[in-house]
Amino acid sequence: MKIRLNFFGIIFPAFFILFSSCTTEKTAEIKIIPKPLLLEIGTGTFKLSRKTSFVLADDNKTLFEGAKIFSQIINKSSSFVLEPEYRSEEIPEKHVILISVEENGEKYGTEGYSLNVTSDRIMIKAAKPAGAFYALQTLRQLFPPGLEDSLFISDSWSIPEVKIFDKPAFKWRGDLLDVSRHFLPLEVIRKNIDYLATYKMNVFHWHLTDDQGWRVQIKGYPELTEVGAWRVDYNDMPWWGRPAQKSGEKATYGGFYTQQEIKDLVKYAADRFVTIVPEIDMPGHSQATIASYPEVSCDGRPYKVATGGVASDNTICPGKEITFEFIERVLDEVLDLFPGEYFHIGGDECNKSQWKKCPDCQERIKKEGLQNEHELQSYFITRVEKIVNKHGKRLIGWDEILEGGLAPNATLMSWRGEKGGIAAAKMGHDVVMTPNTYCYLDLIQGDPELEPPLGYSQLLLSTVYSYDPIPKGLTEGEARHVLGVQGNLWGESIQNETDMNYMLFPRLLAVAEVGWTPKNKREWDDFTDRLEYNLLRLDNKGIDYAPSMYNVWVEGNWDEDKGGYRLIMKTEHNRVPIRYTLDGSDPTMQSELYDGSFFINESCVLKAAGFMNGGHRRITIKELRIHKAAGLPLITEKTWNDRFPVENASMLTDCNRGSTDFKDGKWLAYEKVDFSAIIDLGRETPVTKVELGYLEQQRQFIFPPERVDVWLSADGMNYTKAGSERIDVSLENTEIAIRTVEISFPSTKVRYVKIFAKNTGICPSGHKWAGRNAWMFLDEIFVE
Ligand SMILES: [Zn+2]
């Protein structure tokens, strides 16, 4: 037997037992994702073997294709061959999987189904082929996880008796994949579509163009892929720190899909009841377009395909007629390739500074009687919508298309929170909800210190799962405009299939359930229980998913009454036993079991891990420094900024460090202003060192203090300067770092410690935002 190591190279003994006991008689547990609407569990089993026939009672080609996909999966891991066949009579009573698409199956809607497994036969009913296909996806999950691991060949498979009636809560259950920032080969795209279909998702939103690459062949404009599909390879550098392309550098990184490849993919997706929604992002995010055809830009100068970061001069020109001729001819080709109902125009984050300077744009504003550049964008979108409608399609765009007036028939995709979606629904437009705070799968899914360097900010699995696609404040009628929900995997940090899988899984399963299962049927503990079993299926397929729900989060606070630091540990998954050590050794099954909060009084290194099936995924390591100022009050003026609210300044002596997420509530944030504070140690105490903890994240305007001074006093009136430290800022530091600055001095007996930190004031010259206000983020003052 071949052993697959997971992402972390850890083997789990208990998983072995499950693998090796996956014999013919083993029946799967019933742990279906997304959760079916109604499920009754029987006592018997159905045995799938060479005796079983697979009968379609309706001669329907789409249905047949879907059934074939199911039988291919069975055949890979069985010694027998199961093939679907059409039969209108002589349908066997026993040993049969029978699918019938009922004429009067109104209760099923387009995508609903019933699945009835008895010991004699499996009966699937639906009104449409899509429903039958989803019944087969449910059926897949009734097999033991070993079914989809081709290492196992079995003579028969047992399935538990069940009775299921199921249909989706929402009709749009989508996921976006960005292939512009990093090109992904078709083989990976096909797998992505397989994943969507497996979890009953039906929209693949394909972000095909952006500043960093144009990915679809356009025969009328060959330069779009000859030039626009290639950029300089800076993949070894962080996305935000990549320089612009210098002259002489070769653009070798990228790729594109030919029209034939796209047609094949559209068919592949359609066989799996997935519709592809193509996105050609405009009028912003178009640097690859204007690098290929500068004549559709405002100034016509030569451009290069962007290499990373955020592009600024990246718009096409809505002032020129040639731009609309270009779009019309491009869309003639694109819309022919994708038979689906929707075309996505993008329309987001359009930097309009070039339009302000462009005589053509200004002329257009005058001629059309527009108020400003926002209305010019609205004019642009409305004109493109007419082209799209002419092709019998509907236009969908990001919520910025609201600005300056929404095009008459447009559907809106709400990403900057829910506001745009609510506004558009109230105006009677259809909306798809994909707020970045719940649906952006490119965000980090756990403690940034434990996660691989993919993504930014944070979006936990439990947060995704908690989402309700119907925003509060909509009437029932308005809520009907909410078509559904979508996850978005942007590509800035997704360089390959492994990165993609890690960010997709397991959050994609949460998105799938949010879209399929009504909110009142969903429950987090129940989901994690089912998810755990489904992770075995991902293990079997060799998919390296994020194990972040097992991460141990450590929180704590100085407890004045107990005179100690109170430690609280938890995992996102609520039923994971946590074991820990305080002596620096790695936790094992024999280590102390955490059973509620406890106190520590001296510095130590805490190591903790969530244990499942006898193993653990990751160890959380927390250095806890208990110092002489721990828990002591400090006197300081409230000059920190409330944009990053904290309760009070006592968090500077609570022994808690902040994280690399500057919005975690553990940082005192100072915009442009300096910081000073006095700590009263209560009695004269020997002191040799003071340290100040700070954050450096230059991209977010967060710089180290320019200088830190420490003053000491015995009486609180007369202070003597004990030391001073300057910190040189290197603009080379593009990474996020939690640091301390240290001021040491000969041991001195004092009662009062004064600390002063000078803010850099403004972003220094050479920085991207030179001259703008600089921020200083502080988390702890250590006194030793
Ligand atoms: Zn212009």
Side-chain angles (χ1 to χ4, degrees), residues 147 199 248 270 359 437 486 554 586 610 676 701:
L147 175 78
Y199 301 106
T437 42
Q486 181 172 293
V554 180
D586 286 351
S676 86
F701 313 92

Side-chain angles (χ1 to χ4, degrees), residues 144-368:
L147 175 78
E148 302 194 19
D149 182 342
S150 49
L151 298 173
F152 288 95
I153 304 290
S154 183
D155 295 334
S156 72
W157 294 95
S158 291
I159 304 156
E161 274 191 357
V162 289
K163 221 172 162 173
I164 292 174
F165 173 78
D166 200 11
K167 62 179 183 182
F170 294 97
K171 71 174 190 184
W172 186 301
R173 303 177 306 279
D175 196 54
L176 171 146
L177 186 66
D178 167 12
V179 292
S180 172
R181 272 54 179 267
H182 290 97
F183 178 75
L184 293 170
L186 274 170
E187 173 208 342
V188 176
I189 310 292
R190 277 194 292 271
K191 284 189 197 170
N192 194 296
I193 287 168
D194 286 343
Y195 303 148
L196 299 189
T198 302
Y199 301 106
K200 307 187 178 80
M201 298 175 77
N202 59 2
V203 174
F204 176 63
H205 176 165
W206 208 6
H207 187 74
L208 282 164
T209 72
D210 212 301
D211 299 320
Q212 289 84 6
W214 180 286
R215 305 286 175 226
V216 45
Q217 178 193 23
I218 302 295
K219 290 176 179 161
Y221 293 99
E223 307 268 293
L224 284 172
T225 44
E226 276 161 30
V227 175
W230 307 95
R231 64 170 166 81
V232 179
D233 185 354
Y234 288 145
N235 282 337
D236 55 332
M237 300 168 98
W239 181 260
W240 305 106
R242 293 177 185 180
Q245 182 182 349
K246 292 185 225 101
S247 62
E249 275 183 305
K250 284 216 159 58
T252 55
Y253 180 82
F256 64 93
Y257 312 102
T258 66
Q259 295 199 352
Q260 189 53 50
E261 285 171 334
I262 290 173
K263 279 181 195 160
D264 295 345
L265 187 78
V266 165
K267 159 90 169 74
Y268 184 88
D271 286 347
R272 287 155 181 79
F273 299 88
V274 172
T275 302
I276 302 183
V277 174
E279 179 183 350
I280 306 290
D281 203 343
M282 56 180 134
H285 286 276
S286 296
Q287 197 164 314
T289 315
I290 56 180
S292 313
Y293 292 94
E295 54 269 39
V296 300
S297 71
C298 278
D299 55 13
R301 71 180 159 91
Y303 285 87
K304 301 265 189 231
V305 177
T307 50
V310 177
S312 45
D313 290 345
N314 61 348
T315 61
I316 52 177
C317 176
K320 297 185 178 73
E321 268 316 294
I322 189 181
T323 303
F324 292 96
E325 286 162 29
F326 170 84
I327 292 168
E328 184 138 19
R329 285 177 57 193
V330 166
L331 290 191
D332 276 349
E333 294 193 30
V334 170
L335 297 179
D336 263 6
L337 293 171
F338 297 95
E341 190 182 356
Y342 288 93
F343 166 75
H344 202 298
I345 193 172
D348 57 318
E349 298 179 316
C350 178
N351 181 333
K352 302 175 182 78
S353 58
Q354 282 183 303
W355 296 0
K356 290 193 173 127
K357 293 181 287 191
C358 168
D360 294 317
C361 285
Q362 291 308 313
E363 178 62 28
R364 176 82 72 194
I365 287 176
K366 224 170 25 187
K367 213 177 98 197
E368 299 291 335

